[in-house]
Structure formats: structure tokens, C-alpha cells
Amino acid sequence: MGRTSKDKRDVYYRLAKENGWRARSAFKLLQLDEEFQLFKGVTRAVDLCAAPGSWSQVLSQKIGGQGSGQVVAVDLQAMAPLPGVTQIQGDITQLSTAKEIIQHFEGCPADLVVCDGAPDVTGLHDVDEYMQAQLLLAALNIATHVLKPGGCFVAKIFRGRDVTLLYSQLRIFFSSVLCAKPKSSRNSSIEAFAVCQGYDPPEGFKPDLSKPLLDHSYDPDFNQLDGPTRIIVPFVTCGDLSAYDSDRSYPLDLQDGSEYKYTPPTQPPIAPPYQEACVLKKTGRLAKEIRPQDCPISRADALSQPLAAPQRHTQLAPEVWKWGSEPISTPAQCASICPQSCGLGAEILFPASQ
Amino acid sequence: MYRSHAARSNKTTRPRGAGLTSTGWAGGSEARRSWPPAARAPRASREGAGEDGPSAGPANRERDRVRRRVAIGPPPPGSLLPVAKGSVCNAACWRARPVLARVRRLSRLCGSRSDRRTNMDALGDYVWPRATSELILLPVTGLECVGDRLLAGEGPDVLVYSLDFAGHLRMMKRVQSLLGHYLIHGFRVRPEPSGDTDSEAMVAVFGSKGLRVVKIGWGESRFRELWRSGLWNMSDWIWDVRWLEGNVALALGHNSVVLYDPVIGCLLQEVPCTDRCTLSSACLIGDTWKELTIVAGAVSNQLLVWYPAAALTTNKPVAPDRRVSGHVGVIFSMSYLQSKGLLATASEDRSVRLWKVGDLRVPGGRVQNIGHCFGHSARVWQVKLLENYLISAGEDCVCLVWSHEGEILQAFRGHQGRGIRAIAAHERQAWVITGGDDSGIRLWHLVGRGNSGLGVSALGFKSRSRSGTLKAVTLAGSWRLLAVTDTGTLYLYDFEVKCWEQLLEDKHFQSYCLLEAAPGPEGFGLCAMASGEGRIKVVPINTPAAAVDRVLFPGKVHSLSWALRGYEELLLLASGPGGVVACLEISAAPSGKAIFVQERCRYLLPPSKQRWHTCSAFLPPGDFLVCGDRRGSVLLFPSRPGPLKELGAGGKAGAPGTGDGSDGGKSDVAGWGPVSTLHSLHGKQGVTSVTCHGGYVYTTGRDGAYYQLLVRGGQLQPVLRQKSCRGMNWVAGLRMVPDGSMVILGFHANEFVVWSPRSHEKLHIVNCGGGHRSWAFSDTEAAMAFAYLKDGDVMLYRALGGCTRPHVILREGLHGREITCVKRVGAITLGPEFEVPSFMQPDFLEPGSEGPGLIDIVVTCSEDTTVCVLALPTATGSAHALTAVCNHISSVRAVAVWDVGTPGGAQDPRPGLTARVVSAGGRAEMHCFSIMVAPDPSTPSGLACHVMHLSSHRLDEYWDRQRNRHRMVKVDPETRYMSLAVCELDRPGLGPLVAAACSDGAVRLFCLAGLWAASAAPWLKTFHHKAGCPQGALPLRTRPPASGGESWGCVYYVCIWESLLLFPRIDPGCSLLASREAACVQCSHGRQPAFWDLTTCWTRLPCPGASPGAWASLPAGHPLPHCPGPQLWCQQPGHPAHT
């Protein structure tokens, strides 16, 4: 695998590098905008969970061009500075962060709040979906503080099992909720984007960051309901049909005839959690297993003899489960299943078939 | 085969499902069991069209009535089922998320389907039968030892194992769907006042937002579920549960603690923290509500310690008592050891931290970081503190055992895929049990510091009385070692006596001497030495004075090897100059005092630069010798090229170069040529060993691979090439261990490694300095020994118990990564003699599922680059991986099966299945192999799967042959095959048509012709959408893209079907598809399907070496012109897709 492999396998990765975006996700926001005209009339935008900053780049380019546009990027992690973007390093669950955002807009609420944050996925899907839902709800919670009525909120969701709960939660605050998947988002990924337009909090709603918004709980049979009680959120794919396909592998010389040149990544990650571990690994300072055979070599006669024979196990076939029948694992039967196994642990070899 | 079963099922004493008629076994297995169309081979779609619609005709209805439905259940509870891809669902591909093969069955199918349909109108509120899962393979996310039992949480199911002291390990029971649609994340056992959890225990099972309490018992040494509570739903994620006498405390997702009565399901008290951050882990400490302490791992990487009992009223938030920071990543797990006041945390930053916290129940204590352990190469998922150890396991699939001082004492490697998700420990037995993402469960032994029964010792050769330096070492059996010095002196070392003894000294063997001990348990007490002047000495170790000398060659003896047939025939092979191999027969006098060495014949190796053999073995029953040579070829020689044969015509079988004078013109030196040669099988580095076992020949080589070969009709035939573990490029040998699996010996950089392909575990590692120095290996069931020369001394590594290690695989893992495709091959019915005991409750069994095993065979492929043949016995609810084929270099995305049959043909009643499988995936790689599943009582599943690799093909193979390729940029795309479709052609000798959907926007068509001669699959045709109308093929219906340009994306799915009605025969001269009137490929580009008529393309198919359309005019029965497939690509590097 050469360094061009990724460029061939993922055209958006490559285009992002060539166009100076910090991540390929920039195209997702651009394609969402194509479909929903998100940036129309927007002058104040907030990018939550902004790092590495590709969405902030898009926002500053699209809104910053409209004269008085202001973009605030919030993230817990450090992010390399971006021109035209005000950065706040803070926790989106804290009220102080919300206040700081408003302060930057000189007391005016934001027109658009976007959140492309996702936890580092663990691979256990229920945990990942839960954490993503919590992140979205935290983003929604802070958005209720900073968003103007009629404003727009775009956030990444994982279309998992409990996604209907999230939709119902979002429907409380927005007049229109759509689920969109841009073409630059890979088919194999379960991510999609909730595009919520027309912020309209319920009568008497008071934003409160001290309490987390919990996901709605199911009526036991909520998910099974159909008909008017169940909210069906429209699913929209966006991105022109002629746009590049994120799952397709493209040859390096694209149609337009320009010659391919390798571009290094725009912005490498800043201080990832694994940084120290990587440095240690590179310098060979990770802890290593102490193996007796690597220890200072002992003379043969110094070796304690006889060595203890390791314990052995047999694996027996699963027990037949019969109601009311006698247990079969009497010692005699065990012996018949595995004649060597009784008593003499040392004789028995590695998981034997019965 | 069915009759025997029916007889048995009548006799069976198990209860039958209520209200079900025993309809017996009418019809074939195909008719009886239908697989969901999703898992079917495309061919089956023809007959399965009416699968989900109302059955047409009474015959079908009857068939439906007796058919047992197996279907994929309704959309997921628990997000476990396929995720739809775009708008076109890839029907042949289970987008199974983790390691999931979920088979669902409609249980309690009351009456026939047709009845149900007719009654539907009358019963408006008819309750459809709910599907239950029959088998579920998921990451093991919870493990807990309860007394001497192990509870394992797999999805919502609980598996119960008994860990018996007598060394028996047994799966006792699977409790299904205990946690509904939640996945189990942990178990908490209620501490009993008596401390006795051996007979019964109260266990809180939790996961996600669900909690259930079960009381389980082991009366009469069998598992019983005595009572279970309801499934309680919490408002938030449960991170930890702690028993507080009768109630439980729960640590919830947004930093709150709940006191809950789990018996009646009642919330007693809820206390939040003032900091309502999202948690990633939590740990509850204390046995009463008053002293309850929560340590919460926040997403801000901090630990928060607070005391819920400090809340004066319910719902009054409590401020955190302490905040501890240190980790730079999210904390995934923690463990508190009260007796030593230690807390361990595992984090995303790949480290484990050990904190001295004292008694956490006392507010305001000091927290001190006493250990920062970096050892994992990925995120750490789990940590557990034991009295003397710290166990951690992570995404790198390694479980590390640390001392409390931060040294790694042991490392358990063997799980596959995305890591270890759960750990448990049995301190009394010193066991660690790990559960992996691959759904495997393994048991390991804690041995503590330097007490593993393994060790390297120097044998202390250097001494004033022994002159010379050591040149070679060998092991005669497992307790005697021989070494020779540059003075030609042979020494013996006995492991029991522990002293060196000089056997003989011979000036002829000065400076150059080869030394090999005879094989066999005790080496027959023989060894052979060879000199640089063509001299051989065979030495009986006990009576060295009786050694026999022979001068064989005028020049150097390049190599020596032994071949042993039972205890009857012992041969010594010695390679001399010019590729001549002398074969000496060794026999002993009845007295055992004298030996006789007699030259039997000479063999001649094929010409090469380094022309000597490296290894040899008898091929049972003993007519042939299999040899490997330094050039990497495997050769087959007759073991007795007897005088009769010699007299006969052509007796000197293929002895080219016999009279070329390379041996100094001595005509009697001329040798026998090989009767069969596999040239350069192992590449230029040579073959290192040959072993014959179980009807196969196994060879290993320094190309890092081992081959399985078959001798058929006196010809060697490669069956399967397997790679050893990553980085082990020098495979030195292969041993069969008593449990039927094999272990691979090899050199990994400068280490000698014994590796088990079955458990993916390095069983032994010896840092010996590499394979170029003189080394010897011997193993018996009792012990293994590895000796090597280092620093002028002999080093010896010994391990009792042979090659294997005491670690146990409680359950085999399946694929380590996402399963991308599942195809059913068929079903096998085994006779009662093969019955595998079942652990399922048979009280809900339907007729047909009891009795002798009806075993489904499915083929799965996965991102982990393997294709797996799985046996799914219906009776036991378990899955057995019969074999894994790892030929792919990248992920496998699709498999297709065709030509399913029985081994003996239609008339043969023996059970078994044969099929041909083609798999394709990343790097545009395609492999084709045939499988044969046959009964084998020695395996746990009662089945054995034989795999024969037929051919392989890669689009960019030409690239690997390019010189200076590292300096060039490869411009063509990294194509992946996304999907496969197979269409069998009605022409004998012609393989099927395979259509592959490619990620570069093309559909490629292959004809697997000439496959049986093991040639590469000729590439036939590429349909490329970019070019608009592809050459030779007529797009029947395509929607033009919205705008011009690069519009066609990845092709996700392809299928072929035949339709007699839709497409009239277009070209009557088309002989290939004459009987199949028309065939179509459908490929969907995300959202747009496209249809292609293959008949039109076929007639215009460009044929290599012939004019276009040549095939169409071929007379019927004419063999297909030979298509040298890969060459097509060699001629067109760069843009194959656009041609």
C-alpha cells in the first residue's frame, strides 16, 4: 500500500486535501447546504465540536463572505487557529460556554448551530449510539441557549435503534426535522445528519444547562407503534447525482485532465490521546512482557527440576438439557466420555474432543 | 439417510412442541428447510420466487406445510440486523454489524401457512408468531465467575459454563434473551452472608438501560434458573451496579446514582451530582447506602468521587468530593481493590493508571498516582485488580497481566479482531478468562513471576577438557542432545544426567560437518554426520564404536535428511554435488549392536543454482518419497526404483542430465528423476520441511507459507496455501499435536516461534538469534525441546507438555471483523452415531429439529480477510467453524456458491456436501476453491471440511511484476469487488459465469473456464458505465445521469438471472448460452439499477487469439478456446477498465 492508496480509495479525502479542507467532512456540509440552503441569510453561526475544523472552514468561507458574518467554533480539544473563526475551547455542557458564544455575537443569538461531533467509536454499537445521542442532546441543549427562533440546527446522528426517540425530542424544538445523508458520507457508515429548521421551543420552555436533556424513554411498545403516533422522519439523500461517490475508487487522473500530485494532509491532529503511547512505542519504551526465557540464562543444573507440569483441561461436550432427567455427569460417565481425564490432570491434553 | 433418522426420531423421548404434527421427513433437505432468500445463492432465486408470497398450487402448499421456516426476523430490536445500504438493499450481504450471524426461527408455527392466510381476513387482530433467535454470535461483553461457574453475556443471552476442578470445562446452558433487546454489559453477584455462591446465587444482569435479577442454582450439579425478576428499564445508561443488601445501587449515564429495589422494580432514591456530565464509566464502592461511594469517569477525562448519601433529600444534587485528572483520554473501565486501597483505570490514551487511594469511602483522602502503565498498542477497554495482579485488556486483542509495580508478567494473545471486551478472574484457580469481540471465550493461567515451567538454560559446553568450537547441534529424541565441533568431535549431552560425553572423534569431519539425528521418539539412537569430502558417518549413539563410514561423493555433502516409515524402513538422504541425492538404507542387526548402511539408489534433482534437497518424508503407504529442495520445489520420487522397473522401458524415469558429465562422468552416479515436481512452490528461499499426515502432504518454506498437497495418480497437487502469522517469514516446520490441530514452527525476526493457527497464539517464543544458526527441535507429548548454538555454547529451551500450552479455548471465536456476506451451501444429516449432545431446552422444539443432527453448512466471509465454512447444527444452537481459508490479502466482501453436490455423486448415500465457492474482495482479488464437508467423528462438530484451492485472480497482478514500481505512481483505482453473482452454464467442462460488481464503477464478467485444471480465471468482459454504452453489451435499461461527467459511482450489487420471457433469443448461433435463452446482469449504482443483456455481449465477445464473435460460430460441443486470463492485463496496464 503506497501513500496514494487512500487517495484512490476515497475521492473525498483526496479532494479535501487538494482543496485545503482539514477533513473530508467539509463536503458533507457543502452538500447539505446544496440541498437545504442552510447558509441563506445566516450571519452568525456556531460550530460545536469543531475540531479539526473543516466545518468551521466551510462556515467562514460561506458566511464570512457575506460581510458581517461571524463564526464561533467550540471544542473541548485544542484546534489549530483558522482565519475568520473565533475559537472557544470549552465544554458544551457548561453554561459559561453558552454565555461566551452569545458574548461573541454581542448579545445576538445565532442563526445556525452545527455539530459534527462524534465520540471515538468503540465498536460496541449500543454504546456508540448512546454516546452519540448524548452528544447530540448536549448540542441541542446548548443550542436552545444560543439559537434564535426560526434558526437552524444541524447535527450528526447515528441511525441506530433509538433514533426515533431523538427525532421525537428534536421535533419538540423544531418545526421541521429531516434526516439527510450527503453523498460524501459513506454508505457503510451509519451516520446521517439531522437537519432541524425553524427553531420553535415549546411554550414556557426555559433553557437549562444544569440538567442534561435525557432521551425520551420508550413506552414499552412505542417502537412497535405505527400510524399517526409514530413520527416518521423523512430521509433525504443529498448531493448531486453527478457528485463523486464516496464508496467508489477513482483512478488518480480524474476527468478534468489535471495531473495528479500527492498532497499531504492539510492539518494533522493536535495532541491526540494516544500521542504519548505512540512516542513510547516509537522509542521502544512500551512495557514489555518479562519472559522467563529472556531472563539471564541460568545454568541447566541450577534449573529447578522437575518442572511442574502445567495443568490441563478437557472440554466436554455441552450437557444435554432435559427436564427432570438425571444428571449425566456422574464420575463414571465423565470417565467414559474422557477416559484419561479423571483424577490425573496432568495426563490430559489441550482441549480434546470428547 | 433420512430413513435412519426417521426411525430415530420416533424413538426419541424428548417432548415435542405442542400442537405440532410430526410430518416426518418428506422431501429433500432443500425442500424441507428454506433459508432466507437473503442468504441464498442467487441460483436459488429461481425456485424461491414465491418464497414470501402466497404459495402457488397445492403442491407448494403441502411443501410449505412440512417445511420448517427459517427466516431473518423483523427489523431489529437491538440494532442487530442489517443496516440498509442507501436505497438498494444488498440482499445477498448481511451487513452484520459485529460478529454476528443471527439466525431466527419462527417458533410455534401453528398449522400451515395457507391456513393462516385464509384465516387472515377473519382474524383482523391476528397475532403473528414472533421470531426468536436460534443462535446468536456476538461480542462477549460480560464475564463473571460465580463460584466455579462462569457467566458470559453475549448479546442478550447468558452462557453458563462450569469450570470444574477436575479439569472439565463444559458449557452448561444458554439462557436466551435474558435482557430483551439490551446487550449484557455486566453481572453483579449478590454477596451471600455465608460467602457461599456454590449452590445458588442472586445475580444482577445489566446492560444499556436494562436491569434484571436472576436467581440461579446448581442443585444436582446442573444449572437451574430458580427465579427471575422483570426487566427493569432505567431512564439512563447503567454504568455500574452494586448490591446493597437487598437493593441495588446503579450508577447512571449522567452522573447520578439510583437506589433501586430489583425485586419489585421500584426506584427508591435518585441522587444526581452537581456536575451532570456524561460518563464513560463508573465504579460503585461500599456495601451500604451510607458508605456508598461512586467513582465516575467523565468524558472530560477526569475521575469524580462523590457520596450519594450526602444528599439530604432526594434529588438534591451532591457536589463531587474529589476530582482526579491524569488520563488524556476517556476512561473506559476501573477497578477498586479495597484490601490494598488501590484503584486502577483504563483509558483511551492506551495506558492503565494505578492510583493509591486508600479507603475511598472516607471523604477527602489523598489520591496518588503510583503507576502509569503503557503496554497496550491500542485503547484499553477493561481493567481488573486482583490481590497480586492487575489485568488489563484492550482493542489490541492482548490481555496483559501486570504486577502492582507496573511490570508485565504475562501477555495473553490469541483473540482476533477488534479486541477483548470482557475479563473475569478466578483467583483461587489463578485463571483469567477473556471474552473477545470475535465472540470467543478463552481461559488462561496466571503463573506469576518466572514460574511458567519454561526456560532457557546454557548447557555449559565450554570447558578446558573440550577443545574446539561447536559447529552443529541436533536433538535425538527429547532428552538427548548431540553436538559436533570443528575438530570433528561428536559429543552427547543427556538432560537427565546433565553432563557431556565424548562419543567419537574423526579428523574427516573437521571444519565442515553436517549433523542430523534420526527422527522418531528417541531418534532410533542414530545420528548421521557428513563431511566436506563426500563422506557420511552413521553413528549409533549408544555404541559409537559401531559407526559406519561411507564415501558417497567426490565433493561436499550439501545436506542430510532422514525419512522414516513406521518402524520398518529408515532412509538417509544425502545431497552431493550436481544435484545427486544418495539414498541410503539403514538397518540394524537383530542384536542391535551393529548397523548396516546400504546405498539403495540415487535421485537427481532438477537443475538450479543451489541444487540440493532440504527435507524428505515417506508418503504413506511408502512407495514414494516426498522431498523439498533449496530452490523451493517439491518433488516426488519412487522410494524403491526397483530393478524390475529399471529393466523396463523408460525405467530411468525422466533423468535429464544423467549423462551430462556433471558427476565426473561416472555413469553409475546417474540418478532417478522425480515422477512429479511442483517447481518453485515455496519460492527461491527453499522448502524447509515436508510432513505427511492424514492423507495430505504438508510442506513449509521460507516464503512464510505452508502448503497442503495431495498426491493423486502419482502426481503432486497443491490443495491449499496458508500463510503463517504475520511477520513470520521463515516457516521451519509443522507438527501435529494430539488434539488434531497443527502447530507451526518458524522464525520471526530473531525469535523462534511455535505458533498455533487454531488459536492464533504464539505458544512458545525463544529469542535465539534467528534461523541461520544451527538449531534443533524435538517434541513429544510430554515435553518439547529447542536447542541452538549461541556464544559457543548450546542453549536449550524446554517446556513440559509438548508444544501446546495449557490455555483453553472455551469457545472458538468466529470472524474478528464485520461479516460481509453469508451464503448457505446446504444441509447434512448425520446418522445417530454422530450425534452431538444438545444443551438447548427441547421443550419448544418443532418436529424435525430433534434427533440426529441436521447440520446447515454456510460460508461466511469477513473483513478479516478470511472465508469461513460454518456448521450450524440445528439441535445444539452452536456454531462450529470447520475451516477458515485465508488466501485473501485484503477484506473479503462477497462469496458465491455453486455446483453443490454430494461427494459420491447422486447415488451415493454417504452424507456429505461438496460445493465450489468463489470469494472476492479488496484489492480486486478473487479466489476460487472447492469444499468438501464430510463426517469425521474425531472433531467436536462431527464434520471435517476439506478445502482445495482452484485458482485465483487479481486485476492488478501485473503491478506486482513491475520493476521499479516503488518509484512510480499507480494511477488505476484500488478496485474492490463489492458483490458477486454466479450463473452456471449448461456446458460440460465450462465453469460458471461470474459477474463481479466493482468499486470503480464497472461490472466485470468472468468465465471460470479451465478452472479444473487449476488455471487462472480468464477475465471476460468489463461493463463500464462511464463509457456510456459499453462495448459489446447493450444496456437495456439505464437511467442517464442527471448531468454529464463522472456520474457512475461504486457498483454495490450485481445479480444474474435468466428470463425466458423477457428476452427473446437474440443470436441463435450463440452456442454458449443456447440453453439459457438470455441472461441479465443487474448492477445497482447506489440508487440506480442498470440492466444488461448478456446474450448480446456474448456474441460480440472479443476472444483472445480469435476474431471477435468467434465463439458464436463455434460448433456445438467445441471446447472453449483457451483464455490466458491475466495476460490480458499485462498488455494493458494503466487503464484496464477503460478498454
Side-chain angles (χ1 to χ4, degrees), chain A residues 120 215 247-249 321 350, chain B residues 209 223 348 807 976 999:
Chain A
D120 282 339
D215 14 287
D247 282 298
R248 192 186 145 174
S249 40
W321 181 264
F350 203 67
Chain B
K209 296 174 186 173
F223 175 82
E348 192 186 6
H807 308 314
R976 307 179 293 277
S999 72

Side-chain angles (χ1 to χ4, degrees), chain B residues 280 294 371 451 485 503 656 686:
Chain B
S280 58
I294 172 172
N451 183 29
T485 65
L503 291 186

Side-chain angles (χ1 to χ4, degrees), chain B residues 31-54:
Chain B
R32 228 173 347 92
R33 280 203 94 188
S34 84
W35 198 252
R40 265 183 179 219
R43 192 188 173 195
S45 61
R46 258 172 281 143
E47 74 228 27
E51 192 66 29
D52 290 312

Side-chain angles (χ1 to χ4, degrees), chain B residues 685-748:
Chain B
Q685 296 277 53
V687 185
T688 51
S689 82
V690 287
T691 315
C692 296
H693 181 83
Y696 289 106
V697 179
Y698 296 91
T699 63
T700 61
R702 282 178 58 186
D703 58 345
Y706 56 101
Y707 263 97
Q708 200 177 13
L709 312 170
L710 204 58
V711 179
R712 214 181 256 173
Q715 294 294 310
L716 285 163
Q717 203 177 341
V719 172
L720 195 61
R721 178 181 197 260
Q722 301 268 49
K723 293 281 276 184
S724 61
C725 78
R726 230 174 106 192
M728 193 157 96
N729 291 327
W730 183 331
V731 183
L734 180 147
R735 291 285 189 282
M736 299 296 162
V737 291
D739 69 349
S741 66
M742 62 166 87
V743 293
I744 308 291
L745 321 174
F747 293 93
H748 191 303

